[in-house]
Amino acid sequence: MAFPDIDDAFVKQFESEAHIEYQQMGSKMRNTVRTKAGVTGESTTFQVIGNAVAGTKSRNGDIPVQDVSHAPVECTLQDRYAGIYVDDLDELKIQHDERGAQATNLASAMGRDTDDIILTAMDASANSANATNSVWTAAAAPIAIMEAMGNNSIPFDGKLYAAVPWEAWGDLMDIDEFSNADYVPSEKLWFEGVTAKNWLGFHWFPHENLPKNGVDPKAFFYHASSTGHALGKDFSSRIDYVPTKASNLIQACMSHGSVLIDDTGCIEIIYDLA
């Protein structure tokens, strides 16, 4: 069984390296949310802990004691797989490392899949500050989101993130206070190839695969504790020879899931492409 479209690579002395299409490498979202590893079973829970309240006491009286609520939020794990066959004889006809290239391809696919799972959970937010039918205004939207987070008593503790579509990132670059390194220097993030900006208490970064409302992409502003990502089995890959197919099977798998823990810390806004 030949690898689909492998004929495109059947060249003798034309190209020695494979060109992987530009695509997101790894997960951009995974390290920005609350992670729980080593989960056993089909699901796990994340706890939402209620707020404590301070009060007074009389002299020699008892201090006010309350029962703080614990509301478990269930997260169901999904088993995710990806595989590609590389035919033995096909490898003899090409000059690049097809197996290595496809292993990278699978890692990228699983990274995108991880982001899809996390963003789908975030997209369930019913935060009253969600702007579901508004036009993104680069100068106004960030301020409004910052105010909404502050009014929700979300801590500005370095764990606030803003995942925005590239079109919105372009709008932000028109704001001197955002784009000028004298105001906001760029910083490296946890994934390769993209820098971020720390502005208004958020780590801003562009993302090309955000959920959409019709054709219009959404932007997500969230605290790391607002969303959970549970791992039963982290990303792994392997290569096995399958004699009946005379091919190498390159495969990757993960068992994981995501859930919105507290939507007060997750706000979404639609970027109007029109």
Side-chain angles (χ1 to χ4, degrees), residues 45-69:
T45 57
F46 291 90
Q47 293 290 337
V48 181
I49 301 175
N51 293 326
V53 184
T56 62
K57 81 174 189 68
S58 61
R59 179 167 296 175
N60 298 324
D62 294 333
I63 64 172
V65 177
Q66 66 245 259
D67 291 326
V68 177
S69 65

Side-chain angles (χ1 to χ4, degrees), residues 25 71 124 135 221 254:
M25 301 295 290
V135 176
F221 302 80
M254 288 182 71

Side-chain angles (χ1 to χ4, degrees), residues 13 22 27 47 54-55 61 71 79 99 123 125 130 153-154 156 159 215-216 273:
Q13 295 180 346
Y22 287 110
S27 169
Q47 293 290 337
D79 295 336
R99 281 175 291 180
D123 202 18
S125 177
N130 284 345
S153 299
I154 304 302
F156 282 71
K159 296 180 180 179
V215 298
D216 297 327
L273 292 175

Side-chain angles (χ1 to χ4, degrees), residues 99-147:
R99 281 175 291 180
Q102 295 304 340
T104 301
N105 205 5
L106 284 180
S108 302
M110 296 298 281
R112 291 193 302 272
D113 187 63
T114 297
D115 282 4
D116 286 344
I117 288 174
I118 294 173
L119 287 164
T120 297
M122 286 184 175
D123 202 18
S125 177
N127 192 317
S128 60
N130 284 345
T132 55
N133 291 294
S134 65
V135 176
W136 170 284
T137 304
I143 302 296
I145 296 297
M146 178 194 69
E147 292 171 348

